[in-house]
Amino acid sequence: MLDRDAAMPLYHQIFLQLRDEILSGERPHGSTLPTEQELSALFGVSRITARRVLNDLAQQHYVERKRRLGTRVTFQSPAKPIEANIDQAVDSLLALGHGTTVNVIDVALEPASATVAGMLRLDPGAEVLRAVRVRCLDGEPLGYVVSYVPAKLSDVVTQTSLVRGPILRLLDEAGYHAEHADQTIAATLADRQLAEALHVEPRSALLKISRTVYDRRDEPFLVTFAHYRSDRFHIRLDLHHAGMSVGQSI
């Protein structure tokens, strides 16, 4: 989402969005970025603007550009992933669901973007179910949550069922048990859409959580992008020798 009335130039808004997707792992090492023409159409900007975005990403060593080969992500995080207990993490997510209410904004089938298709290991453009919710605490927006599941799960994840319980519980009841997950946490700024949904000022600090959940066969079945208000939500880690427990506080 671009804010065309903002003081920040459009090219830099697009640069920040793509950079954040690379840093969070949504666009992993080796993946291909849209071409100048595709980026121009995606954001409704000129090819000159799109070219500047890709060139800036290359100059800052996030991507590499080669003629006839396109633009590929070269960034690799130097940080080693921290391991945590999946059962404790799921319990924490379910507890968050119990302690808050949810407003279901939209549930619909749509073609998967290249990013979502890659995370769910689907063919580009394959149909996925997109579910958008605003999670609230005491009647005030806390988080804007967008989840994707394969289209075959459209009977499980519905407008009605999402009001009844957290999406992880719905999928678990349908036989899709979370065996492990990849999760990244990053700081980001609210664009106009997020600001309106979360009742904050544009460019306010948000906590962005990107998560891919896998079953026992190591098949991904749920991708979630959640944006939480930094003034009402934080992540807590209990560190000890035997492992780590994860808590989410509001």
Side-chain angles (χ1 to χ4, degrees):
M1 297 292 294
L2 298 182
D3 186 350
R4 298 181 184 274
D5 297 325
M8 182 182 294
L10 294 180
Y11 81 87
H12 195 60
Q13 291 184 48
I14 301 171
F15 167 86
L16 291 176
Q17 180 171 326
L18 293 177
R19 184 204 63 181
D20 289 349
E21 290 176 359
I22 291 170
L23 292 175
S24 69
E26 293 173 39
R27 296 185 181 274
H29 177 267
S31 63
T32 302
L33 261 62
T35 64
E36 291 177 8
Q37 184 174 354
E38 291 169 339
L39 206 60
S40 174
L42 180 63
F43 288 98
V45 296
S46 69
R47 286 194 64 173
I48 294 175
T49 298
R51 184 179 304 120
R52 179 168 183 177
V53 171
L54 295 176
N55 285 341
D56 284 359
L57 287 169
Q59 289 173 4
Q60 297 196 31
H61 308 293
Y62 293 109
V63 303
E64 181 180 57
R65 307 197 70 195
K66 290 186 177 180
R67 289 176 65 98
R68 294 185 294 274
L69 294 178
T71 304
R72 292 186 176 276
V73 176
T74 55
F75 174 81
Q76 286 184 295
S77 174
K80 182 180 178 180
I82 297 174
E83 295 186 1
N85 185 286
I86 183 65
D87 293 328
Q88 291 177 342
V90 169
D91 287 345
S92 178
L93 289 170
L94 293 178
L96 176 64
H98 287 309
T100 57
T101 58
V102 65
N103 296 329
V104 181
I105 307 301
D106 186 44
V107 179
L109 291 168
E110 65 178 33
S113 67
T115 298
V116 172
M119 296 175 81
L120 285 174
R121 298 179 189 167
L122 300 172
D123 294 331
E127 201 171 44
V128 294
L129 184 79
R130 178 176 182 262
V132 182
R133 294 94 71 209
V134 173
R135 192 158 291 283
C136 300
L137 176 67
D138 298 329
E140 284 294 315
L142 174 69
Y144 185 87
V145 185
V146 182
S147 296
Y148 298 88
V149 297
K152 63 183 179 180
L153 295 175
S154 59
D155 291 338
V156 177
V157 181
T158 66
Q159 191 102 12
T160 302
S161 66
L162 284 170
V163 174
R164 178 171 58 86
I167 193 169
L168 271 173
R169 173 185 288 174
L170 300 177
L171 293 169
D172 187 74
E173 292 173 351
Y176 288 82
H177 308 294
E179 183 67 19
H180 70 95
D182 296 327
Q183 176 171 284
T184 59
I185 303 170
T188 189
L189 299 177
D191 59 27
R192 181 167 295 182
Q193 179 185 10
L194 288 170
E196 291 178 356
L198 294 175
H199 297 180
V200 296
E201 292 294 323
R203 317 304 294 171
S204 295
L206 300 178
L207 191 65
K208 180 181 180 180
I209 299 177
S210 305
R211 184 186 306 112
T212 305
V213 183
Y214 301 80
D215 62 19
R216 291 188 178 93
R217 299 172 298 171
D218 198 37
E219 292 292 332
F221 63 89
L222 172 64
V223 167
T224 293
F225 303 116
H227 291 82
Y228 290 102
R229 289 176 50 164
S230 61
D231 61 336
R232 306 194 75 199
F233 181 93
H234 68 271
I235 302 293
R236 178 179 57 81
L237 302 178
D238 291 333
L239 306 176
H240 49 81
H241 289 298
M244 177 187 303
S245 62
V246 181
Q248 302 181 81
S249 302
I250 50 182

